[in-house]
Amino acid sequence: MGLNIAMLSIHSSPIGDLGTRDTGGMSVYVREVAQALGRLGHRIDIFTQHSSDRQDPVIDLYDNVRLIHLSGGVNGNIAKSDLYEYLPNLLFDLKSFQSRQRVAYDVVHSHYWLSGVLGAMIQEWWHVPHLVTYHTIGVVKNRVNHTEKESEVRLANEKRLADVCDGIVVPSAKEKEYLIQYYDAQPDKIWVIPCGVNLERFKPVDKAFARRRLAFSNEAIIVLYVGRYSPVKGLDHLFKALSYLGHLDSLRLVLVGGDSEHSRMYEHLQSVAKGLNIHHRLVFAGRIRQEILPVYYSAADVLVVPSHYESFGLVTLEALACGTPVVATPVGAMKTVIQEGVTGYVADNLDARHFAQLMEAMVLKQREGDLSPAEIRTSVTEWTWTRSASLLLEAYQTWTDA
Ligand code: UDP
């Protein structure tokens, strides 16, 4: 018999605009695992906050998957920074929905600490197992980001959650180590379950066609970045690395994602690029829908992941699935996913000159035809969301079968 699963994704909707400040890998994760669990015959209700008057309170997303918008008593969007205060209101809405619908949930899986706090309230109320996925860990973010600090409330709640929840799901072994080191999490309640990639969506597109479509010349060296413009993403590091590659005249760095051209981060990046005299080599492509992203991945010589911190790093799997190699810093799942010299390189450290050398080496390999897009894609074909969902089920069933 299928399970009734409540997923909490309060601060970021699984159908939000990917690439914006607070909407990225977590939304993709929730959407994809829910869809895969639904296909396996389980029923999933994803709870998020109401963000616009026009949204239906309940949307049928996929087979067996519903998206439920909770208003928290507010007409419109509640800013992320205010959400903590509104959690009791959202709890009220969630409980009303559950009793109106008479659904008995077998398990609650919350995403990010704000949903975790809500999940911990629900866990007591419904007496159901509660699993948490942090997606990012506040203490680790603070260690690498010196411009914005995560709040004490966040850190204290993350530590408390590690203690009170029944299970923690992390996407990489590194995250498990961090949770043990910083929050004293019990190792035996942490499940390492890797993320996946949608292999139907992310597949190679003919390179010449992709370049024509994006108006990139065949001769240009295209280095691609895909992601949010958050300080942890290491764009400063990447720009510095690029400044060491002045001898590669035709190199262009294409940046996909980010907030509008009027955002503070965009202006900051422009001024850093000007300071390093690399601004003429940048192409700001803006946010691109996932359906179109394979054209970007396929047009590129290499995808770069210059992050100071990632809990996993989905864009790496997406690029590899499109047959494009990746050069990355040693974060998240990079060392597990990338095969050294065959599908990319993982830097030993965060030194920008070293990163530049790896980018150049990978571009050279690409130019000399030393890489096989087919082999690169094959290297990730086992990383499916169906696998992630099956492993999640094993975790859920530890309690539901007991
Ligand atoms: N993404 C997108 N369009 C953009 C930028 C990003 O669809 O313009 C998607 C990308 O395909 C990936 C996700 O956003 O699935 C980013 O996930 P990742 O794990 O790389 O980073 P996170 O956002 O979790 O830090």
Side-chain angles (χ1 to χ4, degrees), residues 25 63 161 167 213 277 287 320:
D63 285 349
L161 268 177
R213 202 171 146 189
N277 196 26
R287 283 199 311 278
L320 297 176

mmCIF file with all atom_site columns, all heavy atoms in Angstrom, residues 25 63 161 167 213 277 287 320:
data_model
loop_
_atom_site.group_PDB
_atom_site.id
_atom_site.type_symbol
_atom_site.label_atom_id
_atom_site.label_alt_id
_atom_site.label_comp_id
_atom_site.label_asym_id
_atom_site.label_entity_id
_atom_site.label_seq_id
_atom_site.pdbx_PDB_ins_code
_atom_site.Cartn_x
_atom_site.Cartn_y
_atom_site.Cartn_z
_atom_site.occupancy
_atom_site.B_iso_or_equiv
_atom_site.pdbx_formal_charge
_atom_site.auth_seq_id
_atom_site.auth_comp_id
_atom_site.auth_asym_id
_atom_site.auth_atom_id
_atom_site.pdbx_PDB_model_num
ATOM 1  N N   . GLY A 1 25  ? 18.222 24.633 -6.475  1.00 0.00 ? 25  GLY A N   1
ATOM 2  C CA  . GLY A 1 25  ? 18.288 23.175 -6.381  1.00 0.00 ? 25  GLY A CA  1
ATOM 3  C C   . GLY A 1 25  ? 17.229 22.559 -5.483  1.00 0.00 ? 25  GLY A C   1
ATOM 4  O O   . GLY A 1 25  ? 16.702 21.494 -5.790  1.00 0.00 ? 25  GLY A O   1
ATOM 5  N N   . ASP A 1 63  ? 0.884  13.023 -11.310 1.00 0.00 ? 63  ASP A N   1
ATOM 6  C CA  . ASP A 1 63  ? 0.078  11.907 -10.794 1.00 0.00 ? 63  ASP A CA  1
ATOM 7  C C   . ASP A 1 63  ? 0.396  11.721 -9.320  1.00 0.00 ? 63  ASP A C   1
ATOM 8  O O   . ASP A 1 63  ? 1.578  11.590 -8.942  1.00 0.00 ? 63  ASP A O   1
ATOM 9  C CB  . ASP A 1 63  ? 0.437  10.608 -11.540 1.00 0.00 ? 63  ASP A CB  1
ATOM 10 C CG  . ASP A 1 63  ? -0.159 10.612 -12.928 1.00 0.00 ? 63  ASP A CG  1
ATOM 11 O OD1 . ASP A 1 63  ? -0.997 11.496 -13.209 1.00 0.00 ? 63  ASP A OD1 1
ATOM 12 O OD2 . ASP A 1 63  ? 0.244  9.748  -13.731 1.00 0.00 ? 63  ASP A OD2 1
ATOM 13 N N   . LEU A 1 161 ? 16.936 20.917 15.664  1.00 0.00 ? 161 LEU A N   1
ATOM 14 C CA  . LEU A 1 161 ? 16.287 19.981 14.735  1.00 0.00 ? 161 LEU A CA  1
ATOM 15 C C   . LEU A 1 161 ? 17.065 18.670 14.615  1.00 0.00 ? 161 LEU A C   1
ATOM 16 O O   . LEU A 1 161 ? 16.480 17.591 14.555  1.00 0.00 ? 161 LEU A O   1
ATOM 17 C CB  . LEU A 1 161 ? 16.224 20.609 13.344  1.00 0.00 ? 161 LEU A CB  1
ATOM 18 C CG  . LEU A 1 161 ? 14.981 21.392 12.978  1.00 0.00 ? 161 LEU A CG  1
ATOM 19 C CD1 . LEU A 1 161 ? 15.158 21.993 11.595  1.00 0.00 ? 161 LEU A CD1 1
ATOM 20 C CD2 . LEU A 1 161 ? 13.763 20.483 13.009  1.00 0.00 ? 161 LEU A CD2 1
ATOM 21 N N   . GLY A 1 167 ? 14.847 11.579 11.517  1.00 0.00 ? 167 GLY A N   1
ATOM 22 C CA  . GLY A 1 167 ? 15.878 11.224 10.541  1.00 0.00 ? 167 GLY A CA  1
ATOM 23 C C   . GLY A 1 167 ? 16.315 12.459 9.773   1.00 0.00 ? 167 GLY A C   1
ATOM 24 O O   . GLY A 1 167 ? 15.583 13.447 9.675   1.00 0.00 ? 167 GLY A O   1
ATOM 25 N N   . ARG A 1 213 ? 22.079 28.614 -32.455 1.00 0.00 ? 213 ARG A N   1
ATOM 26 C CA  . ARG A 1 213 ? 20.847 29.069 -31.804 1.00 0.00 ? 213 ARG A CA  1
ATOM 27 C C   . ARG A 1 213 ? 21.132 30.182 -30.798 1.00 0.00 ? 213 ARG A C   1
ATOM 28 O O   . ARG A 1 213 ? 20.341 31.088 -30.599 1.00 0.00 ? 213 ARG A O   1
ATOM 29 C CB  . ARG A 1 213 ? 20.205 27.874 -31.106 1.00 0.00 ? 213 ARG A CB  1
ATOM 30 C CG  . ARG A 1 213 ? 18.767 28.140 -30.899 1.00 0.00 ? 213 ARG A CG  1
ATOM 31 C CD  . ARG A 1 213 ? 17.975 27.003 -30.414 1.00 0.00 ? 213 ARG A CD  1
ATOM 32 N NE  . ARG A 1 213 ? 16.955 27.580 -29.536 1.00 0.00 ? 213 ARG A NE  1
ATOM 33 C CZ  . ARG A 1 213 ? 16.166 26.894 -28.798 1.00 0.00 ? 213 ARG A CZ  1
ATOM 34 N NH1 . ARG A 1 213 ? 16.251 25.579 -28.789 1.00 0.00 ? 213 ARG A NH1 1
ATOM 35 N NH2 . ARG A 1 213 ? 15.281 27.488 -28.031 1.00 0.00 ? 213 ARG A NH2 1
ATOM 36 N N   . ASN A 1 277 ? 39.136 43.921 -15.265 1.00 0.00 ? 277 ASN A N   1
ATOM 37 C CA  . ASN A 1 277 ? 39.211 44.107 -16.719 1.00 0.00 ? 277 ASN A CA  1
ATOM 38 C C   . ASN A 1 277 ? 38.809 42.852 -17.504 1.00 0.00 ? 277 ASN A C   1
ATOM 39 O O   . ASN A 1 277 ? 39.450 42.476 -18.493 1.00 0.00 ? 277 ASN A O   1
ATOM 40 C CB  . ASN A 1 277 ? 40.628 44.562 -17.106 1.00 0.00 ? 277 ASN A CB  1
ATOM 41 C CG  . ASN A 1 277 ? 40.646 45.139 -18.509 1.00 0.00 ? 277 ASN A CG  1
ATOM 42 O OD1 . ASN A 1 277 ? 39.619 45.634 -18.980 1.00 0.00 ? 277 ASN A OD1 1
ATOM 43 N ND2 . ASN A 1 277 ? 41.780 45.047 -19.181 1.00 0.00 ? 277 ASN A ND2 1
ATOM 44 N N   . ARG A 1 287 ? 18.046 34.454 -16.449 1.00 0.00 ? 287 ARG A N   1
ATOM 45 C CA  . ARG A 1 287 ? 17.475 33.156 -16.068 1.00 0.00 ? 287 ARG A CA  1
ATOM 46 C C   . ARG A 1 287 ? 16.957 32.435 -17.297 1.00 0.00 ? 287 ARG A C   1
ATOM 47 O O   . ARG A 1 287 ? 16.343 33.046 -18.168 1.00 0.00 ? 287 ARG A O   1
ATOM 48 C CB  . ARG A 1 287 ? 16.319 33.360 -15.095 1.00 0.00 ? 287 ARG A CB  1
ATOM 49 C CG  . ARG A 1 287 ? 16.771 33.659 -13.702 1.00 0.00 ? 287 ARG A CG  1
ATOM 50 C CD  . ARG A 1 287 ? 15.690 33.405 -12.702 1.00 0.00 ? 287 ARG A CD  1
ATOM 51 N NE  . ARG A 1 287 ? 14.425 33.987 -13.042 1.00 0.00 ? 287 ARG A NE  1
ATOM 52 C CZ  . ARG A 1 287 ? 14.093 35.253 -12.814 1.00 0.00 ? 287 ARG A CZ  1
ATOM 53 N NH1 . ARG A 1 287 ? 14.963 36.059 -12.245 1.00 0.00 ? 287 ARG A NH1 1
ATOM 54 N NH2 . ARG A 1 287 ? 12.907 35.694 -13.136 1.00 0.00 ? 287 ARG A NH2 1
ATOM 55 N N   . LEU A 1 320 ? 26.871 17.151 -17.266 1.00 0.00 ? 320 LEU A N   1
ATOM 56 C CA  . LEU A 1 320 ? 27.437 15.855 -17.663 1.00 0.00 ? 320 LEU A CA  1
ATOM 57 C C   . LEU A 1 320 ? 26.411 15.063 -18.475 1.00 0.00 ? 320 LEU A C   1
ATOM 58 O O   . LEU A 1 320 ? 26.759 14.424 -19.472 1.00 0.00 ? 320 LEU A O   1
ATOM 59 C CB  . LEU A 1 320 ? 27.886 15.060 -16.431 1.00 0.00 ? 320 LEU A CB  1
ATOM 60 C CG  . LEU A 1 320 ? 29.020 15.692 -15.597 1.00 0.00 ? 320 LEU A CG  1
ATOM 61 C CD1 . LEU A 1 320 ? 29.310 14.880 -14.343 1.00 0.00 ? 320 LEU A CD1 1
ATOM 62 C CD2 . LEU A 1 320 ? 30.318 15.842 -16.418 1.00 0.00 ? 320 LEU A CD2 1
#
